[in-house]
Each structure stands twice: as C-alpha cells, then as structure tokens.
Amino acid sequence: MTNVIPIARSERGKERGKERKKACIVALHCSLGSGRQWKALADELGRSHPFIAPDISGYGAQACALDLPLTLAEEVRCLSGTLNEAEGPIHLIGHSYGGAIAFKIATASPFAHRARSLTLIEPVLPTLLCESDADRRLHARFAEVARDVSEDLWNGSALEAIDKFVEFWNGSGPQDPLPASARLRMIERADKLAFDFTAAFAEQNVPIAAASLRVPTLLFSGGLSPYLTQRIVQRLGAIMDCAEIQHLPAAGHMLPLTHASSVNPAIARHIARADELAGVPLAAEAVPAEAVSGAEG
C-alpha cells in the first residue's frame, strides 16, 4: 500500500516563507537615460516593495565615472554596491541596454541566486541573433548603426551621433523631432553610447544563458520598435521555459514611458505572482519530520 503523507508547513518553512516575501525591486534604465525613467513605476510599486532605480555608469549621477564599463559584467560590478544594499531577493526590471544588464545579473553574476523575477523590455542582446541568415542580417544592421554612431562620437560630432541613434530606435514610429532640452541632455551623455554598444556586442552565449534561466520572466516588445529588438524578445521567449511575452502593437521602443498605463500594471502583476510562488513551501519544508520517519518505517 502506498503511504499518503499529509502536507503541512513546518515552523522552519514558515520562517523561510516570510523571508521569501521580502524582496527589493531594482529597475535599470535605457542608454542616455537615468533612474528617473522609473518614477511612475516607483510611485506604483514603492508602497509594497523597496524600490531602487540606480543610474547606470556614465549616466545621471554616475555621469562623471572615469573607468566606463566595456562589458556587461563590468556594468554589473559598477552596480554591485547598489545591489548589495538591496536586502533579500530582488525583482529585476530592465529596459533596452538596462535590460541587457538585468539579464546579465539574473544569469551570470554573484547576484543571480537572489533574482526572484525578471522583467525585460526590449533588451539589447544582439548576439542572440547569430544563428540564422535572417537574424544575422538584423545583427549586421545593428552593428552598422553602432559603427556609425561611434565614429561620429570619436570625430566629435555628438549631434550627428544622437540623430542616428534616435532615428534607429524610433523604428517605424513617428519621426518627431526631439525637444531641444532632451537633445542637450543626450549630447552631454553621448560618449557613453560607444561603450554601451561595445558591451552589448561583447556578450556571448546568450542562448545558453537564457535556456538556463529558471526565474519567472516577463518580456515586452512594441510593434513600432526596430525589428531587431522585437526579434530578440521573440527568440528569448522561445528559449526560456519560464517566460511570458506581452507585445504592444501600437508601442515603440520607449514603451515603458509612452505606454506606462499598460506596462506598469503588467509588471506589478508579474511581481505579485513571483512573490506568491516564492511563498509556496518546498517539498522538503512541507513534510513534517515525523511524517517522513513514519513513511520510512
């Protein structure tokens, strides 16, 4: 006769469950942005979770950094102080280049074991697109944009570099001129773009890392974005067992800002589900010791 073992959470399991519920949200912005990008999301989620939106090296308060990162691993090291300040598990959110860094944190960093959930909004992981002829053409086109922008920066033509960068990321969306104030802010931070491109193209083995990911993952893409990032999201969704894709046909690459009314509630639900899953006891915790010993006898 098969022994039926009753499921009951031990006191130790309860304590671990409480620990799992304590999680900090870490949100990483796009290139040429800053942590202020996440103000609306912080207002919404900051009431239930600690919320940290650091400036990536070279931007915002970190604009004066001397040793700028050339790899995603170096970007993670630059953020290590912030990540160490975030107690307990972390919910990672990243947009564009910040999405590439968030992916690196969740898959290959000293902080990977702390990731409770991952949200990637059109992450810039171009080396994922090196497996088929069609995808390689997207990779080559993005490499061409990176070369053109970087050459303009090296030649001191920051304004031309910004125009090429913005034109690419506008995709098939409206090519509205940037406000003068926004252009000025971008020009002040433009030099970091060459480093961001270098780090994105230096990241290898992305498919293997994606396939190994076991945390709940939410992926966003916009129908007006460059097809490069739409395709990256499609590929990640096909590789990951734990991923959900949300595609917004009328949104462009800046969807966390332009479509915050759709994106932010979805992120909130994703984080809530991840917290609920973390509260479910593991089998070893759920079985009282006396039940186990009785079954063995």
Side-chain angles (χ1 to χ4, degrees), residues 217-231:
T217 301
L218 178 61
L219 303 168
F220 283 98
S221 63
L224 301 181
S225 298
Y227 190 59
L228 170 94
T229 44
Q230 294 188 54
R231 182 59 180 154

Side-chain angles (χ1 to χ4, degrees), residues 110-122:
F111 308 97
H113 69 284
R114 293 174 53 194
R116 178 174 287 181
S117 76
L118 179 63
T119 299
L120 300 177
I121 306 170
E122 298 201 349

Side-chain angles (χ1 to χ4, degrees), residues 20 35 51 62 68 101 152 158 165-166 200 234 246 250 269-270 278 285:
R20 288 194 189 94
F51 194 105
Q62 306 300 324
L68 293 175
I101 300 172
D152 283 340
F165 184 80
V166 171
Q234 292 171 7
Q246 293 213 8
R269 290 192 295 271
H270 175 62
E285 295 173 354

Side-chain angles (χ1 to χ4, degrees), residues 30 111 119 127 145 148 176-177 196:
C30 61
F111 308 97
T119 299
T127 57
V145 172
D148 290 346
D176 296 331
D196 293 357

Side-chain angles (χ1 to χ4, degrees), residues 124-257:
V124 180
L125 295 165
T127 57
L128 183 62
L129 304 178
C130 292
E131 297 180 356
S132 70
D133 290 341
D135 286 348
R136 277 192 291 271
R137 286 194 288 272
L138 293 172
H139 178 278
R141 169 62 184 137
F142 191 53
E144 181 182 345
V145 172
R147 284 193 301 270
D148 290 346
V149 169
S150 298
E151 285 180 7
D152 283 340
L153 292 172
W154 293 330
N155 293 329
S157 303
L159 185 57
E160 288 83 350
I162 292 298
D163 286 344
K164 290 174 182 175
F165 184 80
V166 171
E167 181 182 2
F168 175 80
W169 286 115
N170 276 343
S172 57
Q175 301 292 322
D176 296 331
L178 285 171
S181 58
R183 269 185 139 194
L184 181 59
R185 286 195 302 272
M186 288 183 175
I187 289 171
E188 291 173 348
R189 306 166 183 163
D191 287 344
K192 177 69 190 327
L193 285 177
F195 292 84
D196 293 357
F197 280 127
T198 298
F201 280 104
E203 190 64 19
Q204 300 299 315
N205 302 317
V206 174
I208 296 172
S212 69
L213 196 60
R214 292 294 179 268
V215 299
T217 301
L218 178 61
L219 303 168
F220 283 98
S221 63
L224 301 181
S225 298
Y227 190 59
L228 170 94
T229 44
Q230 294 188 54
R231 182 59 180 154
I232 288 172
V233 168
Q234 292 171 7
R235 290 286 295 117
L236 287 173
I239 294 169
M240 295 177 179
D241 291 332
C242 49
E244 170 194 349
I245 296 178
Q246 293 213 8
H247 182 71
L248 282 63
H253 185 62
M254 296 306 293
L255 66 166
L257 297 176

Side-chain angles (χ1 to χ4, degrees), residues 278-289:
V280 174
L282 300 175
E285 295 173 354
V287 180

